[in-house]
């Protein structure tokens, strides 16, 4: 039986990064992946293809709707969805091929097939046993559904199928105004579909700071997206090419009936451990399907770790990556650190939404005394030059010490701007610290400085 220091099950951003870090630290590593291509949800049917679609659809939308404003007259603009989807597929092919290259470069053995624990020191793949000293479960997640909703993968679809559509839907009904609902809803809206979003909560992206949800809804609504918030979906039926979504207004009890040609179910994701043979290794998933782990990401078997979407916490690629590096270093006897509070979250709509640290709701719940500094993009020279009038940056700082406790941004390129806030918070900066640092002019980053000044003593300079 072939023996490894470490076997990683699953090649998503958690698994493949863990494998690379362990190999860098001198371990003999194997990675098991059930699909032919490496990279997991993120690279194959998640982050990368969705961002590729967002980019292409934004270019199309800009060409049709915004170029004229800049004095660029274009006529006869044609959308070639087939070509657009081929580009997305090429991007995925390139990036997953890159992971294959990285495995080779780091001398990591790739075992293709479904991995399953035979016992607590053996994984079996395609009938062959592989022994391990340590293992990392990085099997990720799958789309969740709702009672009364059958995902047929043709007309009632999840993000996986939505990313492969080659025709623009006439009317796409999206269930869930979370991250996937807003990102993919934006893609199809930009390409010309009517998009209706039905959401149980009273706001969009409800897990983020409340001002972000309000602002993104306002902008997307102005762009023509319809929202039915406070509505719980009760059922979805399909009749030929037509889908009907029924929902109940949770306050009035009134029934909402929407008819379209596609229904995108985007109500969250669930951990994936099917056929993993957890019981053979003496492990058990919890009631939500997650693998329980301690602060070192060890399972009930201390030499078996679990990371990424299959364990508690945010289902984000960079969270999975941080956990992968963390575990590889723990296995190698190092003492790494991981600060979950400072894992940023981004929604790649336009404007983009980005956030790190505590939300205002959380600070209220925890009874922490805080102050708020806000700065609108409208007041920035760089935003005016680019006609980016929507959005704001909101800084929450400790009322007594001025330490930054949370930063929430909605506006142009905030997905990249948030990095400064993460660094500031990692080094426990005060709002005034940032307010006293020079930021190039004119840049969007000045908005963060101004919001910090606003939080310090209400001393924003350009407002
Ligand atoms: P996964 O990426 O799910 O990988 C798990 C891998 O394990 C899979 O390849 C699976 O085939 C394999 N596997 C499972 N069981 C077995 C087995 N028994 N044997 C062998 N192999 C197995 N996150 C972001 O941070 N930014 C984004 O922009 C973003 N966009 C997203 C867009 C969409 C549409 C979706 C669906 C998700 C998005 N995410 C994004 C979330 C991100 O994709 C996940 O958080 C991330 O992929 C989790 O990584 P992971 O390594 O835990 O698992
Ligand atoms: P989500 O948790 O973001 O949103 C699901 C939404 O569905 C919630 O707002 C919820 O209230 C709503 N919902 C649930 N039941 C409902 C019902 N019966 N009727 C109406 N609405 C209902 O989950 P989503 O968007 O599916 O994304 C899954 C995961 O993928 C997220 O955890 C996210 O972290 C990750 N992801 C991350 C991205 C990013 O980082 N940019 C992009 C896409 C996905």
């Amino acid at each position: 039986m072939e023996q490894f220091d470490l076997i990683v099950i699953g090649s998503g951003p958690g698994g493949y990064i863990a494998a690379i870090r362990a190999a860098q630290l001198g371990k003999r590593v194997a990675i098991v992946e059930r699909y032919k291509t490496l990279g997991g949800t993120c690279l194959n049917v998640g982050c990368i293809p969705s961002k590729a679609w967002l980019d292409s659809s934004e270019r199309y939308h800009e060409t049709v709707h915004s170029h004229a404003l800049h004095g660029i007259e274009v006529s006869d603009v044609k959308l070639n969805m087939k070509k657009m989807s081929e580009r997305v597929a090429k991007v995925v092919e390139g990036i997953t091929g890159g992971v294959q290259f990285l495995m080779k470069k780091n001398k990591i053995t790739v075992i293709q097939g479904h991995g399953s624990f035979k016992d607590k020191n053996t994984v079996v793949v395609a009938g062959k046993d592989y022994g391990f000293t340590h293992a990392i479960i990085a099997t990720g997640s799958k789309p969740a559904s709702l009672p009364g909703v059958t995902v047929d993968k043709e007309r009632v679809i999840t993000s996986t199928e939505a990313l492969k559509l080659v025709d623009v839907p006439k009317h796409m009904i999206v269930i869930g105004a979370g991250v996937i609902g807003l990102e993919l809803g934006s893609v199809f809206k930009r390409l010309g579909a009517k998009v209706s979003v039905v959401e149980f909560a009273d706001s969009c992206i409800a897990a983020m700071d409340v001002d972000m949800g309000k602002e993104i809804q306002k902008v997307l609504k102005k762009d023509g997206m319809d929202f039915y918030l406070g509505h719980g979906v009760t059922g979805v039926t399909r009749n030929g090419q037509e889908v009907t979504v029924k929902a109940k207004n949770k306050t009035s009890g009134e029934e909402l009936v929407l008819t379209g040609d596609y229904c995108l179910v985007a109500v969250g994701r669930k951990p994936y451990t099917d056929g993993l043979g957890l019981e053979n290794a003496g492990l058990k998933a919890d009631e939500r399907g997650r693998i329980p782990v301690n602060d070192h990401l060890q399972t009930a078997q201390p030499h078996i770790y679990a990371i990424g979407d299959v364990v508690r916490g945010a289902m984000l690629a960079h969270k999975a990556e941080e956990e992968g590096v963390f575990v590889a270093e723990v296995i190698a006897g190092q003492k790494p650190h991981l600060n979950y509070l400072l894992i940023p979250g981004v929604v790649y709509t336009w404007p983009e939404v980005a956030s790190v640290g505590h939300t205002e709701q959380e600070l209220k719940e925890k009874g922490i005394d805080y102050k708020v500094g806000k700065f609108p993009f409208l007041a920035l020279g760089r935003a005016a030059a680019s006609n980016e009038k929507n959005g704001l940056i909101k800084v929450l700082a400790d009322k007594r010490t001025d330490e930054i406790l949370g930063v929430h941004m909605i506006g142009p390129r905030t997905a990249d701007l948030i990095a400064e806030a993460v660094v500031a918070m990692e080094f426990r900066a005060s709002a005034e610290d940032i307010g006293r640092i020079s930021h190039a002019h004119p840049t969007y980053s000045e908005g963060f400085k101004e919001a910090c000044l606003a939080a310090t003593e209400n001393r924003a300079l350009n407002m």
Side-chain angles (χ1 to χ4, degrees):
M1 180 170 71
E2 211 173 342
Q3 186 71 29
F4 292 92
D5 297 330
L6 171 66
I7 293 185
V8 182
I9 308 177
S11 72
Y16 91 77
I17 289 290
I20 291 174
R21 186 70 189 119
Q24 285 175 344
L25 292 165
K27 301 288 174 192
R28 185 161 189 257
V29 185
I31 191 161
V32 185
E33 172 54 57
R34 59 205 284 267
Y35 289 121
K36 283 205 175 76
T37 53
L38 303 179
T41 303
C42 177
L43 274 60
N44 290 281
V45 290
C47 325
I48 300 302
S50 61
K51 266 78 257 177
W53 273 113
L54 279 154
D55 190 74
S56 293
S57 61
E58 180 64 15
R59 283 165 195 259
Y60 174 70
H61 190 261
E62 284 258 300
T63 310
V64 175
H65 298 279
S66 311
H67 280 8
L69 181 82
H70 294 266
I72 306 165
E73 289 169 13
V74 278
S75 55
D76 206 19
V77 182
K78 284 201 188 88
L79 173 66
N80 186 336
M81 270 288 270
K82 190 167 167 280
K83 202 157 185 183
M84 218 178 243
S85 71
E86 281 167 6
R87 186 193 80 89
V88 175
K90 262 211 174 102
V91 169
V92 169
E93 197 186 308
I95 205 153
T96 54
V99 177
Q100 192 80 43
F101 162 79
L102 289 172
M103 296 300 104
K104 208 167 160 193
K105 181 182 163 211
N106 288 283
K107 300 186 176 50
I108 295 162
T109 303
V110 176
I111 305 168
Q112 205 230 304
H114 188 100
S116 186
F117 287 105
K118 187 172 182 180
D119 56 49
K120 62 184 169 56
N121 289 102
T122 318
V123 165
V124 56
V125 187
K128 198 170 163 197
D129 292 349
Y130 300 89
F132 62 83
T133 311
H134 291 99
I136 300 178
I137 303 169
T139 50
S141 62
K142 288 273 161 194
S145 190
L146 294 170
V149 178
T150 307
V151 173
D152 64 18
K153 300 191 178 184
E154 289 173 2
R155 292 283 158 173
V156 185
I157 59 178
T158 69
S159 55
T160 306
E161 296 76 46
L163 290 166
K164 305 238 159 72
L165 287 185
V166 285
D167 294 308
V168 181
K170 289 184 192 68
H171 181 194
M172 174 166 271
I173 304 163
V174 179
I175 309 180
V179 202
I180 293 181
L182 295 194
E183 286 188 3
L184 294 186
S186 293
V187 167
F188 293 107
K189 183 80 204 71
R190 291 168 189 170
L191 296 178
K194 175 179 164 63
V195 175
S196 304
V197 183
V198 186
E199 165 62 52
F200 183 75
D202 297 321
S203 63
C204 297
I205 44 170
M208 290 181 119
D209 189 272
V210 65
D211 283 341
M212 302 298 109
K214 277 188 205 149
E215 185 71 11
I216 193 66
Q217 189 192 347
K218 195 177 86 191
V219 179
L220 294 180
K221 209 171 156 187
K222 218 163 79 191
D223 282 349
M225 213 183 266
D226 292 329
F227 288 94
Y228 300 90
L229 303 183
H231 281 79
V233 168
T234 50
V236 177
T237 46
R238 177 181 171 185
N239 189 0
Q241 313 269 16
E242 198 178 87
V243 287
T244 302
V245 175
K246 288 191 178 160
K248 209 175 200 175
N249 183 314
K250 52 179 196 189
T251 321
S252 67
E254 234 172 273
E255 192 177 59
L256 169 77
V257 182
L258 294 171
T259 305
D261 53 344
Y262 284 94
C263 170
L264 168 63
V265 183
V267 293
R269 294 178 61 85
K270 53 176 191 232
Y272 183 75
T273 54
D274 291 5
L276 187 56
L278 283 178
E279 60 292 348
N280 300 332
L283 300 174
K284 212 169 116 193
D286 69 13
E287 68 294 344
R288 290 169 64 183
R290 303 174 303 192
I291 299 179
V293 285
N294 65 15
D295 286 350
H296 286 91
L297 293 153
Q298 285 168 305
T299 65
Q301 300 290 349
H303 66 298
I304 302 178
Y305 296 75
I307 60 171
D309 282 9
V310 81
V311 302
R312 82 283 184 272
M315 287 185 166
L316 294 173
H318 45 288
K319 178 255 192 188
E321 286 182 12
E322 292 304 323
E323 290 181 337
V325 169
F326 178 93
V327 166
E329 292 181 353
V330 167
I331 289 172
Q334 299 188 352
K335 293 193 165 38
H337 106 131
L338 213 174
N339 186 351
Y340 284 99
L341 181 66
L342 298 190
I343 289 179
V346 173
V347 189
Y348 295 82
T349 43
W350 197 266
E352 293 172 336
V353 190
S355 147
V356 64
H358 291 294
T359 61
E360 191 166 356
Q361 304 91 283
E362 280 167 1
L363 293 178
K364 276 188 187 141
E365 273 163 31
K366 287 177 191 291
I368 297 173
D369 254 357
Y370 65 93
K371 48 191 182 161
V372 186
K374 289 185 187 177
F375 193 82
F377 276 95
L378 189 66
L380 276 185
R382 178 69 180 86
S386 298
N387 206 44
E388 290 291 350
K389 296 181 183 146
N390 296 311
L392 73 147
I393 296 185
K394 174 173 174 180
V395 170
L396 302 165
D398 189 289
K399 200 163 196 170
R400 201 171 45 85
T401 64
D402 199 38
E403 180 177 353
I404 300 173
L405 302 174
V407 179
H408 309 280
M409 309 175 161
I410 171 166
R413 303 200 195 153
T414 57
D416 297 298
L417 290 185
I418 199 70
E420 185 186 354
V422 179
V423 173
M425 290 180 69
E426 185 67 50
F427 288 97
R428 302 197 62 176
S430 66
E432 186 174 4
D433 287 336
I434 302 300
R436 288 188 179 278
I437 294 173
S438 172
H439 287 66
H441 174 76
T443 59
Y444 294 124
S445 72
E446 287 172 287
F448 181 44
K449 171 180 174 154
E450 290 277 11
C452 284
L453 284 171
T456 308
E457 278 165 5
N458 206 8
R459 35 182 265 231
L461 297 163
N462 284 288
M463 196 175 56

